[in-house]
Amino acid sequence: MTSTGAGNLLHEIASRMPYMAPAMRQIAELVLGDPERARTMTITELSDAAGVADSTVSRFVRELGLDGYRSLRLGIAEATFATRAAAAGPETQYVYEGISRDEPPDSVIGKVERSSAEALRQTAQRLHPEALSAAVDLIENASVIAFVAQGLSSVAADAGVMRFIRAGRKCLLFHDQSVQIMSATNLTAGDVVIGISDSGRTDAIVDTMRIARSHGAATIAVTSDADSPLVGVADVALFTATIPGGGLYGESVTSKWGQLLVIDALYATFAARRFDQTLEHLEETYTAAIQHSRMA
């Protein structure tokens, strides 16, 4: 019926919505806002409610990889049924992503592996080539790349510093919130800030990006939330997987795989453009590191 899978249709729509054309985004917002109503509508009723033409709904269906409007309605119905079934089930408490009391090790391994793979898959779907290319344009022209992150998002920021320093770029990363914000006042046109926040609502990250932008620096957001304040202060936004489950998930490593994927994609795209220069810097930094280790 679909390349996406009906059970994931509503999630798929939410993942793709930030990159949709305005007319198709209106359809997505209507479907996500009231899927129970949307699944009963004819194509004309849906197009009228969204304020678009029937042909736009047809393009929306094709964009999702569905083979017809009937498949859209069926996918919405199956997704809403699954949601209701989950809500009706007994309440379960988890200490980690899907890990309940006395979970056996083999089950823990399987669940962590699946959630990690899902985070990578979702991020790859949301990471559009045009946005990635635009972000690399900013990095390629930057004098300094400043990374801004807090908590576990700092893992991706540290990885970014390592990647781009080895590629010959000047990088900054301050872990203290106050220093991050103060450093933004020293950034100017020709610099770029990469703010990494899963929620996109960490005040220190948003403030640092806003201040840097006011001083002329370019800004790149790495976040899962297309409607977050961080996106509002970004010249380019790169979206990671949307992992359900609230604050507990925000502290898990699996929810950070998407951030690492984005950082690696940024570096790899940059390195592919500047292939010879990157190889030269990789060799030089490797040699310097080896010599230092022998002297230690």
Side-chain angles (χ1 to χ4, degrees), residues 18-214:
Y19 298 103
M20 289 180 175
M24 287 200 288
R25 185 166 182 169
Q26 290 173 218
I27 301 170
E29 289 173 345
L30 189 150
V31 170
L32 295 175
D34 194 350
E36 292 280 2
R37 177 188 173 209
R39 71 183 179 88
T40 66
M41 289 178 164
T42 66
I43 188 170
T44 300
E45 289 171 340
L46 181 61
S47 62
D48 288 344
V52 300
D54 287 4
S55 59
T56 304
V57 177
S58 296
R59 288 199 305 274
F60 177 79
V61 171
R62 291 195 298 271
E63 178 85 6
L64 295 173
L66 301 170
D67 55 21
Y69 185 71
R70 181 178 178 277
S71 295
L72 176 68
R73 293 178 61 182
L74 180 60
I76 295 171
E78 291 184 0
T80 53
F81 176 80
T83 300
R84 288 198 305 270
E91 183 177 351
T92 303
Q93 292 182 314
Y94 301 110
V95 292
Y96 198 74
E97 297 179 14
I99 307 301
S100 57
R101 187 186 303 276
D102 296 324
E103 191 94 21
D106 59 339
S107 177
V108 169
I109 292 170
K111 287 183 177 180
V112 172
E113 185 274 333
R114 286 189 294 274
S115 62
S116 297
E118 180 65 11
L120 289 169
R121 185 191 68 81
Q122 288 184 27
T123 300
Q125 287 183 338
R126 301 191 81 193
L127 189 56
H128 281 222
E130 296 84 357
L132 181 63
S133 181
V136 174
D137 287 344
L138 298 178
I139 291 171
E140 195 170 17
N141 295 319
S143 300
V144 173
I145 307 170
F147 289 86
V148 189
Q150 294 292 322
L152 279 179
S153 294
S154 296
V155 173
D158 284 323
V161 170
M162 176 65 74
R163 296 283 190 274
F164 284 101
I165 281 180
R166 293 212 61 198
R169 311 304 290 181
K170 296 178 181 179
C171 298
L172 292 176
L173 172 60
F174 299 106
H175 290 281
D176 182 86
Q177 289 187 12
S178 297
V179 177
Q180 284 182 358
I181 294 173
M182 287 188 290
S183 70
T185 64
N186 293 321
L187 298 173
T188 60
D191 299 328
V192 63
V193 183
I194 302 177
I196 308 172
S197 170
D198 187 52
S199 69
R201 300 176 187 280
T202 305
D203 289 341
I205 309 302
V206 176
D207 289 344
T208 300
M209 293 268 282
R210 181 183 296 110
I211 293 170
R213 198 182 195 192
S214 72

